[in-house]
Amino acid sequence: MKLTTVLQSISNVCHPLMALTYAALLLMFFSPLQALPIELRWFIIGEVAFYTLLLPMICITILYKMHIIGHWALRNRVDRAIPLGINALAYGICSYVLTAHEFLPGWMLSVYWGATVMSTISWIISFWWKISAHAMGMTAVATLSLIMSIWFPTMMPLWAALGLIVLTGFVCSIRVYLGRHTLAQVAAGAALGGVVMSIAMLCFH
């Protein structure tokens, strides 16, 4: 198997549309939310996956089939504006739906409202520049895990958070190696994901 195939597979597993589902898994199993009934936790994870993964994927596929975008992976900047706008809208809908669950704490909801903000910023930037959504999504999840390891050290091990940080760095390197982004685009995405997620969580703690 070629190295590029392996690296592309890792990049696909760490796709930005997966980020909020990964975040939901962390929140439901490595925070005080683990006290919720298991069925309820999986229901919430399912809600997040539907709005932030399945719905955008369906929309992107439709755009590709209609020849509105040139490639489903959005490799060209001109292809990114409409899909990223859809992503931001889908994230906002997800955040609104989660907020309707009155038992969910503000610090958890801040993760999804923060993601809505960063995806909106990414969408606006896409009209002029190709910022790395992989770097943004993975850094946001890594930042979430690090903050959780500080707030809930008995539930979220520090070693796991550090492992996610290393994985994030590896994914960012892969994006540059595969020629999908420049170092500046990856650095900008990582900065956006880390800063917005930190501010969102700290403001609602």
Side-chain angles (χ1 to χ4, degrees):
M1 185 178 293
K2 293 182 179 180
L3 176 61
T4 54
T5 302
V6 174
L7 295 179
Q8 185 60 58
S9 298
I10 295 172
S11 180
N12 291 342
V13 171
C14 297
H15 195 280
L17 290 181
M18 295 290 296
L20 292 186
T21 300
Y22 291 148
L25 288 167
L26 287 176
L27 290 163
M28 290 297 126
F29 290 98
F30 298 95
S31 82
L33 294 172
Q34 65 185 217
L36 294 173
I38 186 66
E39 297 84 1
L40 181 56
R41 283 184 280 161
W42 280 113
F43 176 77
I44 293 170
I45 293 169
E47 280 188 319
V48 171
F50 174 77
Y51 288 109
T52 68
L53 173 60
L54 184 59
L55 190 57
M57 283 182 62
I58 291 172
C59 292
I60 290 172
T61 301
I62 292 172
L63 291 172
Y64 175 67
K65 293 294 185 180
M66 295 177 65
H67 304 289
I68 295 175
I69 59 176
H71 196 282
W72 66 270
L74 310 180
R75 291 176 180 171
N76 296 321
R77 184 191 60 79
V78 293
D79 286 339
R80 295 165 73 89
I82 296 176
L84 291 183
I86 291 172
N87 289 354
L89 179 61
Y91 289 6
I93 294 172
C94 179
S95 301
Y96 178 80
V97 170
L98 292 178
T99 301
H101 298 314
E102 297 181 356
F103 57 87
L104 293 177
W107 57 264
M108 181 217 164
L109 298 175
S110 69
V111 172
Y112 292 90
W113 286 114
T116 302
V117 170
M118 73 178 71
S119 62
T120 301
I121 295 173
S122 175
W123 169 61
I124 294 171
I125 292 174
S126 71
F127 286 97
W128 295 278
W129 199 49
K130 185 184 175 185
I131 192 171
S132 173
H134 275 78
M136 181 182 70
M138 285 299 297
T139 303
V141 173
T143 301
L144 167 63
S145 69
L146 183 59
I147 293 174
M148 286 173 59
S149 73
I150 297 171
W151 288 355
F152 318 118
T154 61
M155 301 177 187
M156 182 68 204
L158 179 60
W159 63 263
L162 294 177
L164 278 173
I165 292 173
V166 171
L167 176 60
T168 297
F170 184 51
V171 171
C172 290
S173 300
I174 288 174
R175 300 303 290 172
V176 175
Y177 178 83
L178 293 176
R180 302 290 187 261
H181 290 285
T182 65
L183 185 59
Q185 291 167 345
V186 165
L192 178 59
V195 170
V196 173
M197 184 57 66
S198 297
I199 292 174
M201 292 195 71
L202 294 176
C203 283
F204 285 88
H205 180 54

